[in-house]
């Protein structure tokens, strides 16, 4: 099942993607896609709805972030060995955790605004993990049972803020618009193995990142379990799981297109335009 939110920013409606790739309006059944709908019983109720019984959304409507309430946007650094190497950093012995401000979350095709004073922003495609059942001290063996689904995350970063401006990584990770998410949530039962997904990123039509989640240092199950040792996970939280090598510099006027593919239904992409804050 693919769940989405559509409509103007701040006024999104809940939706479901049908077998023909069209958005069906769920608002007669639920008010939004938030923590209650993402827990197992909420997803089961939505799965029981016949998509053909739902009205179609207007053609060309905007996609919003697929989750209405994300209280924690947790990110993992250096989770691919080649990205650690290009950063001149050792392969971590434990997952590197930082946070992105929830205020940076936006729709998958919304314009990215390069912040004032930025000198080194990067594009980064990542697999997003959306929590359905929260908890602390989650066993790795059962960690994937806590996942409602997956999405594409564009973890934009301002490296000068992150590295040269003092403090922690967070300073370069939470700039407004630096968290495009979507275009939909694909439920975990349909994704299957999250370590068998292809990620890619194009800038102005040229492929810049291309790889697979099979090369993660720490798999999704480990990340969910590990994060829950330090942070209580809540339904609707997003864990973005790290990027590949060749994170690409952002420039105003660039058009970007990034996505995740599988044999099944995860295939989805984010795309948009970068502009500079004036």
């Amino acid at each position: 099942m693919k769940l989405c939110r559509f409509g103007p920013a701040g006024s999104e409606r809940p939706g479901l993607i049908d077998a023909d790739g069209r958005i069906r309006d769920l608002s007669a059944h639920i008010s939004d896609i938030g923590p209650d709908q993402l827990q197992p019983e909420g997803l089961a109720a939505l799965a029981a709805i016949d998509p053909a019984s739902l009205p179609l959304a207007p053609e060309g409507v905007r996609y919003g972030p697929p989750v209405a309430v994300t209280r924690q946007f947790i990110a993992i650094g250096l989770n691919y060995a080649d990205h650690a190497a290009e950063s001149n950093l050792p392969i971590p012995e434990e997952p590197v955790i930082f946070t992105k401000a929830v205020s940076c979350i936006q729709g998958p095709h919304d314009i990215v605004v390069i912040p004032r004073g930025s000198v080194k922003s990067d594009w980064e495609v990542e697999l997003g993990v959306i929590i359905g059942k929260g908890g602390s001290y989650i066993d790795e063996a059962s960690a994937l049972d806590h996942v409602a689904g997956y999405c594409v995350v564009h973890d934009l970063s301002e490296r000068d803020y992150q590295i040269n401006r003092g403090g922690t990584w967070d300073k370069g990770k939470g700039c407004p618009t630096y968290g495009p998410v979507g275009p939909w949530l694909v439920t975990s039962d349909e994704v299957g193995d999250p370590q068998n997904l292809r990620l890619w990123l194009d800038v102005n039509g040229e492929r810049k990142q291309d790889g697979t989640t099979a090369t993660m240092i720490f798999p999704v199950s480990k990340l969910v379990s590990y994060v829950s040792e330090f942070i209580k996970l809540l339904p609707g939280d997003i864990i973005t799981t790290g990027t590949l090598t060749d994170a690409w510099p952002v420039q105003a006027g660039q058009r970007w297109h990034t996505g995740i593919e599988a044999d099944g239904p995860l295939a989805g992409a984010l795309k948009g335009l970068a502009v500079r804050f004036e």
Side-chain angles (χ1 to χ4, degrees):
M1 183 168 55
K2 292 180 183 176
L3 300 174
C4 69
R5 298 172 66 248
F6 65 93
S11 301
E12 292 92 346
R13 298 163 71 94
L16 180 152
I17 307 297
D18 68 17
D20 296 318
R22 300 172 299 182
I23 300 175
R24 298 280 183 164
D25 191 338
L26 278 168
S27 57
H29 295 268
I30 55 174
S31 60
D32 214 331
I33 298 173
D36 290 343
Q37 292 75 33
L38 296 176
Q39 296 189 60
E41 56 273 19
L43 291 176
L46 294 177
I49 299 171
D50 178 6
S53 69
L54 303 171
L56 287 166
E59 288 284 337
V61 70
R62 168 187 174 271
Y63 281 96
V67 178
V69 180
T70 296
R71 288 167 284 186
Q72 300 179 112
F73 195 3
I74 301 161
I76 306 299
L78 307 176
N79 198 29
Y80 291 81
D82 49 4
H83 182 48
E86 74 172 352
S87 301
N88 296 313
L89 293 169
I91 293 175
E93 296 182 2
E94 298 187 35
V96 175
I97 300 175
F98 59 94
T99 60
K100 289 177 71 75
V102 294
S103 59
C104 80
I105 295 173
Q106 65 170 10
H109 310 318
D110 294 345
I111 288 175
V112 167
V113 181
I114 303 169
R116 183 180 292 165
S118 171
V119 295
K120 191 172 174 35
S121 285
D122 284 346
W123 307 113
E124 301 179 34
V125 60
E126 303 193 8
L127 173 67
V129 177
I130 299 176
I131 298 299
K133 184 169 64 173
S136 297
Y137 304 106
I138 297 167
D139 290 336
E140 185 173 351
S142 62
L144 296 185
D145 295 337
H146 289 254
V147 176
Y150 301 88
C151 66
V152 185
V153 173
H154 203 167
D155 176 25
L156 286 110
S157 306
E158 212 304 329
R159 301 296 187 194
D160 184 58
Y161 296 178
Q162 175 185 343
I163 298 169
N164 299 324
R165 298 287 297 272
T168 64
W169 285 11
D170 301 17
K171 190 179 291 184
K173 292 287 189 172
C175 304
T177 77
Y178 270 32
V181 177
W184 40 67
L185 176 159
V186 185
T187 51
S188 56
D189 60 306
E190 294 201 8
V191 172
D193 182 4
Q195 306 309 140
N196 188 31
L197 303 171
R198 179 170 167 254
L199 300 84
W200 52 268
L201 179 145
D202 293 347
V203 178
N204 292 338
E206 184 177 350
R207 184 62 41 96
K208 297 298 184 182
Q209 287 186 296
D210 197 348
T212 170
T213 57
T215 61
M216 282 184 182
I217 298 169
F218 304 106
V220 171
S221 58
K222 174 66 175 179
L223 296 176
V224 171
S225 174
Y226 185 85
V227 169
S228 76
E229 290 185 36
F230 308 98
I231 301 170
K232 182 178 180 179
L233 293 174
L234 305 170
D237 287 354
I238 300 173
I239 301 175
T240 188
T241 56
T243 198
L244 310 164
T245 189
D246 296 324
W248 197 255
V250 179
Q251 297 178 9
Q254 287 178 333
R255 292 195 174 273
W256 52 272
H257 192 194
T258 184
I260 298 177
E261 298 176 3
D263 293 336
L266 184 63
L270 284 60
K271 59 184 176 180
L273 172 71
V275 300
R276 182 170 287 279
F277 184 90
E278 299 295 345

